[in-house]
Amino acid sequence: MIDWIAEESLKEAADQLFLEASNTRKKAEKRRKKNVVDPFSTILIASTFEIQQLDSLMNMQQTESSIRGMSNALGKFHQSILSSVDGWANHDSGYDLTCESLNIIAEIKNKWNTMNNSNREQVKEELRIAIRQKKGRWEAYLVQIIPKKPRRFKNELDKDFYEVDGASFYHIVTGNPNALHDLFDYLCNDLCKRVDPSEKIVAYCKDIMSSSIPPRKKVCE
């Protein structure tokens, strides 16, 4: 059970995530035909993966395009979930989230390598400007939902400005140290209801989860 978000908001965010992912898959073929296809990349993929059938090659190219779109959908999903927690709200312009009661603003990135160095510096500068424009003392967070290493951290980048992993930030927002883990379990259960994946697929996804984000914290009763 997830008690830090309304069930209706959680279900709505999950439905929207899967809808956007499905639409991304449908649009991938149109994008592939519309965009200029790199012939060097095409022959390299075919050779490296030993693909002999044209349909298989085109499916791989379509999958690659779909995955990029799904990553954007996941970023929106986390923003939607976090902004549905009491006291938190979407901001969108300049940064993603704000909490007036805690004097916190945040930018959410789905994975640690989402940004290149140039983008990273731009995001950091926009957050610095945002907290300078606020009245009183505010804190800014640059959040990596999936960090480079599966550990909890809160690195100070500047005065009142921090970089933090997703599990730690979900803890800040919800008060539950295992909120991100509970959310993943919910999605796993939801996925099983939608497509009935094999036990091996579910186990594989859970293995990735355990190796990609910090482990659950033991909560004293």
Side-chain angles (χ1 to χ4, degrees), residues 81-83 85-86 88 97 102 168-176:
I81 289 292
L82 291 164
S83 66
V85 177
D86 287 345
W88 291 81
L97 297 171
L102 297 178
S168 295
F169 190 71
Y170 263 86
H171 187 186
I172 291 171
V173 174
T174 67
N176 184 333

Side-chain angles (χ1 to χ4, degrees), residues 126-172:
E126 288 177 352
L127 286 171
R128 288 191 186 99
I129 292 173
I131 57 175
R132 285 200 297 264
Q133 292 176 340
K134 293 285 189 180
K135 293 182 179 179
R137 183 174 179 179
W138 282 66
E139 292 183 344
Y141 286 81
L142 178 54
V143 185
Q144 302 172 6
I145 298 297
I146 308 299
K148 188 174 184 179
K149 295 181 180 180
R151 61 181 180 84
R152 296 174 191 255
F153 67 88
K154 181 181 177 183
N155 298 331
E156 188 170 14
L157 302 177
D158 206 343
K159 180 177 170 30
D160 300 325
F161 183 16
Y162 305 91
E163 188 169 37
V164 67
D165 69 284
S168 295
F169 190 71
Y170 263 86
H171 187 186
I172 291 171

Side-chain angles (χ1 to χ4, degrees), residues 61-78:
Q61 290 175 315
Q62 183 173 332
T63 298
E64 181 186 16
S65 176
S66 299
I67 289 173
R68 288 197 298 269
M70 289 179 188
S71 179
N72 294 332
L74 278 169
K76 292 180 182 178
F77 169 73
H78 286 292

Side-chain angles (χ1 to χ4, degrees), residues 35-194:
N35 295 337
V36 176
V37 179
D38 182 351
F40 293 93
S41 173
T42 301
I43 193 63
L44 184 61
I45 290 172
S47 175
T48 303
F49 290 93
E50 300 180 0
I51 299 174
Q52 298 180 342
Q53 300 298 321
L54 178 58
D55 286 348
S56 298
L57 176 59
M58 295 175 68
N59 284 338
M60 178 169 284
Q61 290 175 315
Q62 183 173 332
T63 298
E64 181 186 16
S65 176
S66 299
I67 289 173
R68 288 197 298 269
M70 289 179 188
S71 179
N72 294 332
L74 278 169
K76 292 180 182 178
F77 169 73
H78 286 292
Q79 184 178 348
S80 177
I81 289 292
L82 291 164
S83 66
S84 296
V85 177
D86 287 345
W88 291 81
N90 275 319
H91 188 268
D92 289 328
S93 178
Y95 50 91
D96 293 328
L97 297 171
T98 184
C99 179
E100 297 287 341
S101 61
L102 297 178
N103 284 15
I104 290 176
I105 62 174
E107 177 72 14
I108 310 298
K109 298 300 180 184
N110 189 50
K111 197 176 177 185
W112 68 272
N113 60 352
T114 300
M115 301 173 289
N116 58 33
N117 288 337
S118 177
N119 291 341
R120 178 183 172 83
E121 289 306 314
Q122 181 179 349
V123 169
K124 288 166 62 176
E125 184 58 26
E126 288 177 352
L127 286 171
R128 288 191 186 99
I129 292 173
I131 57 175
R132 285 200 297 264
Q133 292 176 340
K134 293 285 189 180
K135 293 182 179 179
R137 183 174 179 179
W138 282 66
E139 292 183 344
Y141 286 81
L142 178 54
V143 185
Q144 302 172 6
I145 298 297
I146 308 299
K148 188 174 184 179
K149 295 181 180 180
R151 61 181 180 84
R152 296 174 191 255
F153 67 88
K154 181 181 177 183
N155 298 331
E156 188 170 14
L157 302 177
D158 206 343
K159 180 177 170 30
D160 300 325
F161 183 16
Y162 305 91
E163 188 169 37
V164 67
D165 69 284
S168 295
F169 190 71
Y170 263 86
H171 187 186
I172 291 171
V173 174
T174 67
N176 184 333
N178 300 314
L180 185 59
H181 301 78
D182 292 341
L183 180 62
F184 178 80
D185 289 343
Y186 174 87
L187 279 184
C188 270
N189 292 333
D190 196 41
L191 172 66
C192 291
K193 294 176 183 177
R194 294 172 190 267

